[in-house]
Amino acid sequence: MPSRQSVLVTGAGGVGRAVIEHLRADDVPVLVRRDDDRAAMLRRLGAEVVLGDLTRPETVAAGLRDVDRMYFAMPVSRDHLLAATVVATVAREYGDLDVLVGMSQMTVSQMTATSTDESHQQRLHWLAEQVLDWSGLPVVHVRPTSFLDNPLFTTLAARSIRDDGTLALPFGDGRTSPVAVADVARVVAALLTGRRGHLDHVYELTGPRVMDMTEMAGAYARALGRSVVYADVPLERWREEVLSRAGLPAHVEDHIVTMCRLHRENRYDRATGDVERVTGVPAQTVEEFVAARRDQYLGPQPADRLG
């Protein structure tokens, strides 16, 4: 394992991978469960792959050896609270952390100990924050809103835009301010490398402005140079005709459906400047994000149409 002043990254998903790229340091240890193609990709980025499981204390202890900063994240999982509890207890007993940056969700900021409108996954995030706070560790919570990179705004949006020029989502009149994975990763990397005394306890990360779905469809249209209009789809119909066909675990499907319902209820009508406050650079707009992925939404364009 690396010597002191090293960072342990857990979760090799989009944010974790981008954090490693931002750290630009060889031998950043990354705790992963399987030595697979994703692990090989992390090695190519210069990371040191450490096989382990966040729900197994002995592997977490091994990963924390000689580490003073940690990024804790997991994909949507029923084991989220268990993993947070293991990390907190092992880090207290075996670690010597200057900072632990924990990935949470912005919905947590609106939750209480007894609220019931949220998904089981969101409740796990709320409870995990409590455990990490009770641990006494130097914890910083990062609470992003919905990701722009989410299939709702990428894969599924691309399909409906190509099929009939619509952004077809079950969000009703709700307003939202999704944030790009790349912007969240910039914040996490900055927090991991910043001085402890300059860190706040919670950072809530959003895009630069809130908009309803008609406005969002307009941003897609400008970025893609074609007509895109919002088509509001009834939530249950969307679940039956779109989501259920994805073959997702019930826990994940329930979380996505709840996110959509909370969008319809306008629970995502929030915007902060925390991305710019931490990194000095504003969060990407929807238009900037989509324009950078034009081929993903429209498919490869013939050479004569590219000018």
Side-chain angles (χ1 to χ4, degrees):
M1 294 290 294
S3 60
R4 294 287 296 168
Q5 301 301 317
S6 65
V7 179
L8 175 66
V9 174
T10 70
V15 174
R17 183 172 62 250
V19 167
I20 293 166
E21 294 173 343
H22 279 291
L23 293 177
R24 298 184 181 277
D26 291 338
D27 298 326
V28 172
V30 184
L31 189 69
V32 298
R33 296 187 66 176
R34 289 179 292 274
D35 196 350
D36 52 15
D37 291 344
R38 189 161 56 175
M41 178 273 298
L42 293 170
R43 289 191 181 96
R44 289 193 294 272
L45 292 176
E48 177 189 353
V49 172
V50 180
L51 294 180
D53 186 332
L54 288 171
T55 65
R56 293 176 54 196
E58 69 277 15
T59 61
V60 174
L64 282 170
R65 189 176 302 121
D66 298 322
V67 164
D68 65 356
R69 290 164 288 164
M70 180 179 183
Y71 167 58
F72 168 69
M74 288 187 73
V76 175
S77 170
R78 289 186 177 275
D79 287 335
H80 186 91
L81 178 58
L82 172 59
T85 305
V86 169
V87 166
T89 54
V90 172
R92 282 189 61 181
E93 185 167 349
Y94 294 98
D96 186 19
L97 294 178
D98 290 335
V99 63
L100 189 159
V101 178
M103 178 60 66
S104 186
Q105 295 189 4
M106 197 167 179
T107 312
V108 169
S109 66
Q110 298 176 323
M111 294 172 66
T112 69
T114 58
S115 59
T116 59
D117 287 339
E118 300 82 16
S119 72
H120 183 59
Q121 179 67 32
Q122 289 163 337
R123 173 56 53 185
L124 294 179
H125 276 279
W126 190 92
L127 291 169
E129 284 200 17
Q130 311 309 305
V131 169
L132 291 171
D133 288 343
W134 296 337
S135 73
L137 294 168
V139 176
V140 176
H141 299 295
V142 175
R143 297 175 180 167
T145 187
S146 298
F147 286 121
L148 269 172
D149 309 62
N150 188 300
L152 293 171
F153 301 118
T154 54
T155 308
L156 296 178
R159 184 184 306 165
S160 61
I161 288 171
R162 287 195 296 265
D163 287 349
D164 56 14
T166 64
L167 182 62
L169 289 170
F171 285 6
D173 296 327
R175 292 162 61 81
T176 189
S177 56
V179 64
V181 161
D183 291 326
V184 175
R186 288 193 298 111
V187 171
V188 172
L191 296 176
L192 288 170
T193 56
R195 287 182 293 172
R196 174 74 181 92
H198 288 196
L199 299 181
D200 291 340
H201 183 55
V202 173
Y203 292 91
E204 298 186 336
L205 309 181
T206 73
R209 58 180 289 258
V210 293
M211 59 182 73
D212 62 26
M213 297 308 296
T214 296
E215 292 172 301
M216 183 171 286
Y220 276 77
R222 292 188 296 274
L224 299 175
R226 61 157 297 173
S227 174
V228 180
V229 297
Y230 174 52
D232 180 30
V233 184
L235 180 55
E236 285 306 313
R237 193 182 92 193
W238 182 84
R239 181 176 194 169
E240 179 181 347
E241 296 179 358
V242 178
L243 189 61
S244 63
R245 298 177 182 178
L248 298 171
H251 176 77
V252 178
E253 181 173 318
D254 171 71
H255 176 58
I256 294 172
V257 169
T258 302
M259 285 178 57
C260 293
R261 176 175 58 79
L262 294 180
H263 267 97
R264 295 184 77 89
E265 296 172 2
N266 214 31
R267 287 275 295 272
Y268 285 80
D269 185 7
R270 291 167 286 164
T272 78
D274 279 0
V275 170
E276 184 173 9
R277 183 162 67 91
V278 175
T279 68
V281 179
Q284 294 176 65
T285 65
V286 172
E287 189 169 341
E288 290 168 339
F289 179 90
V290 174
R293 295 159 180 79
R294 182 182 175 87
D295 285 354
Q296 179 179 349
Y297 290 96
L298 298 179
Q301 303 297 294
D304 60 347
R305 290 182 60 189
L306 295 176

